[in-house]
Amino acid sequence: MASTSVAPRQPPKKRDWSWRSQYVRGLVYQVVALSAIVFVVWFLAHNTLLNMRTRGIQSGFDFLFGPAGFDIGEMLINYDALDPYWKAFLVGVLNTLRVAIIGIVITTLIGTLVGIGRFARNAIVRGLCYGYVELFRNVPILLQLLMWYLLFTEVLPATYEAWSIADLFFLSKGGVAVPAPVWGLGQGLAVIGAVVGLVVAYLYRQWARKRFEATGNALPTVLPSVAIVLVVSFVGWLLGGAPTAWNIPKQAEVMVEGGMIATPEFLAVLFGLVMYTAAFVAEVVRAGIQSVAHGQVEAASSLGLSRGQSMRLVILPQALRVIIPPMTNQYLNLTKNSSLAVAIGYPDVVSISNTAINQTGRAVECIAIIMLVYLTTSLLTSAFMGWYNKRAAIKER
């Protein structure tokens, strides 16, 4: 019986810390470059503060704790003119996030549908999708914001003559008023139930996908997922006492009162950003779908998959690796373009900063806050999309 010899384990190599080591040289270069950047930033900040002090210009962020002294027309949290500046900035940040998050969700839906519609068999659908893309992506975003704002403030009827649907929904120059539930324990548990339902629906979709890969039998996923979310939310609403109180808007002599009101400024910003960005997203989706080899479509058809199943189960999953990176850029553009809302009076973080600059003269500090807000939101968006891109990447076997 032949004996097998085992090669002796090699001792770990010791890192060479001499200048001849590429690792050491690279580390030194990075430390030097980082030190130079820190020095330049410190030098600019020091000279800026020194020059401001020489000219008698106050500096620092202590003004954030003083009373703001101005009202804000639209807010998601309680705010009063006597509240400090930091709370006013918080209102502006929340207004910016409100537009950005809702806009990203709606943009993704519209852009994806239009992008898929470019491949429709119906010539009218293809033509409408093509016309939408060419119209909205070639008109500057600022002009679109002004167009929507003028539409909501000039074309619609006055607030005392609002259009109504069943005396529940009102549309006028004052915005859109819709019924809103009176918030309580039941609504809170319903929201928690919706979150739990989304998790359960995600797990169900994962199980259905694995079952399809193992057996070839495709289970419906869209309707069951929606049903899971609704059922779990309904259970949470029941556990909270099943509240039925609603705040119904009513037409008063001067304006519509009650309910949940979306102002014309908010609607103009949202519509402008969504319609503009969705045109670019549609082109991203179209390019991603076209990047999938036609043989994949033929293979899906040979398996008996319908056109919709082929798009959902075969084409889109492969197209995601091409779609996600440029889609991230469009999300970042939408968030940063929301700063143009100041042109139509929407109280976002830029608008609040402009007011604070006029009252305090702390221009450097307010601009730094704006930069920090957009830098943070952009980095978080990029990090999330990078994580999703890794999950959607095709795994080689």
Side-chain angles (χ1 to χ4, degrees):
M1 180 177 180
S3 61
T4 57
S5 59
V6 179
R9 179 177 297 178
Q10 296 293 335
K13 294 182 179 180
K14 295 183 178 180
R15 190 178 296 278
D16 184 9
W17 290 99
S18 65
W19 185 252
R20 293 174 298 180
S21 172
Q22 183 180 1
Y23 172 80
V24 172
R25 292 197 305 271
L27 182 62
V28 172
Y29 293 151
Q30 293 182 53
V31 171
V32 172
L34 182 61
S35 301
I37 294 174
V38 172
F39 173 76
V40 170
V41 172
W42 172 84
F43 179 78
L44 294 175
H46 175 73
N47 278 300
T48 301
L49 294 176
L50 183 62
N51 292 331
M52 292 174 62
R53 195 176 299 113
T54 302
R55 289 169 173 77
I57 301 176
Q58 294 182 342
S59 62
F61 293 91
D62 55 305
F63 76 98
L64 292 174
F65 301 97
F70 60 89
D71 293 320
I72 301 177
E74 191 166 349
M75 66 198 78
L76 295 178
I77 60 174
N78 293 328
Y79 169 81
D80 186 78
L82 297 179
D83 289 331
Y85 276 100
W86 68 263
K87 193 169 185 179
F89 275 100
L90 179 59
V91 172
V93 170
L94 292 178
N95 286 340
T96 298
L97 294 177
R98 176 191 182 194
V99 168
I101 295 174
I102 298 177
I104 286 175
V105 173
I106 301 178
T107 295
T108 303
L109 295 176
I110 295 179
T112 302
L113 292 176
V114 174
I116 296 175
R118 295 290 299 274
F119 299 93
R121 294 177 177 175
N122 189 304
I124 296 178
V125 175
R126 290 199 311 270
L128 290 176
C129 293
Y130 175 78
Y132 169 84
V133 170
E134 294 302 322
L135 172 63
F136 284 97
R137 76 170 179 174
N138 290 305
V139 178
I141 177 62
L142 182 58
L143 292 181
Q144 295 193 37
L145 293 180
L146 295 175
M147 178 194 71
W148 287 108
Y149 183 68
L150 291 176
L151 174 65
F152 285 115
T153 57
E154 298 296 333
V155 177
L156 295 180
T159 54
Y160 55 86
E161 296 177 343
W163 294 336
S164 66
I165 300 177
D167 289 333
L168 295 176
F169 305 92
F170 294 86
L171 177 63
S172 67
K173 293 181 179 180
V176 177
V178 298
V182 178
W183 193 262
L185 178 62
Q187 287 77 11
L189 292 180
V191 172
I192 296 175
V195 175
V196 174
L198 288 174
V199 175
V200 176
Y202 172 77
L203 296 176
Y204 167 77
R205 290 174 66 91
Q206 292 295 102
W207 173 80
R209 181 179 62 82
K210 292 180 180 179
R211 186 177 184 275
F212 171 73
E213 293 175 352
T215 63
N217 296 326
L219 294 176
T221 56
V222 177
L223 292 180
S225 299
V226 174
I228 290 173
V229 175
L230 293 178
V231 169
V232 179
S233 299
F234 181 72
V235 171
W237 177 71
L238 291 178
L239 293 177
T244 58
W246 284 78
N247 185 4
I248 306 297
K250 296 181 180 179
Q251 176 69 67
E253 294 183 1
V254 179
M255 58 184 296
V256 178
E257 298 178 350
M260 181 175 62
I261 299 177
T263 64
E265 291 80 12
F266 170 74
L267 294 175
V269 173
L270 183 64
F271 276 51
L273 292 176
V274 166
M275 303 302 284
Y276 177 77
T277 312
F280 291 91
V281 171
E283 288 296 277
V284 170
V285 173
R286 181 184 65 83
I289 293 175
Q290 285 185 331
S291 68
V292 179
H294 186 67
Q296 298 292 319
V297 181
E298 294 177 343
S301 300
S302 66
L303 293 175
L305 297 180
S306 65
R307 189 176 176 86
Q309 289 176 329
S310 299
M311 180 66 68
R312 180 168 53 89
L313 300 174
V314 178
I315 300 175
L316 285 181
Q318 296 184 66
L320 280 178
R321 71 184 192 275
V322 178
I323 292 175
I324 293 176
M327 185 81 81
T328 303
N329 292 333
Q330 297 307 321
Y331 291 164
L332 297 179
N333 289 337
L334 186 147
T335 303
K336 291 181 288 188
N337 286 337
S338 66
S339 60
L340 296 174
V342 67
I344 58 176
Y346 180 69
D348 67 333
V349 65
V350 177
S351 176
I352 301 299
S353 298
N354 288 339
T355 304
I357 291 173
N358 293 331
Q359 294 191 173
T360 64
R362 308 290 179 91
V364 175
E365 292 81 355
C366 292
I367 293 176
I369 293 175
I370 296 175
M371 293 174 60
L372 179 63
V373 169
Y374 284 105
L375 178 63
T376 303
T377 54
S378 297
L379 290 178
L380 291 176
T381 303
S382 299
F384 174 78
M385 293 302 294
W387 168 81
Y388 184 68
N389 188 34
K390 291 181 180 179
R391 286 185 55 87
I394 297 178
K395 305 295 190 302
E396 296 184 359
R397 298 180 180 178

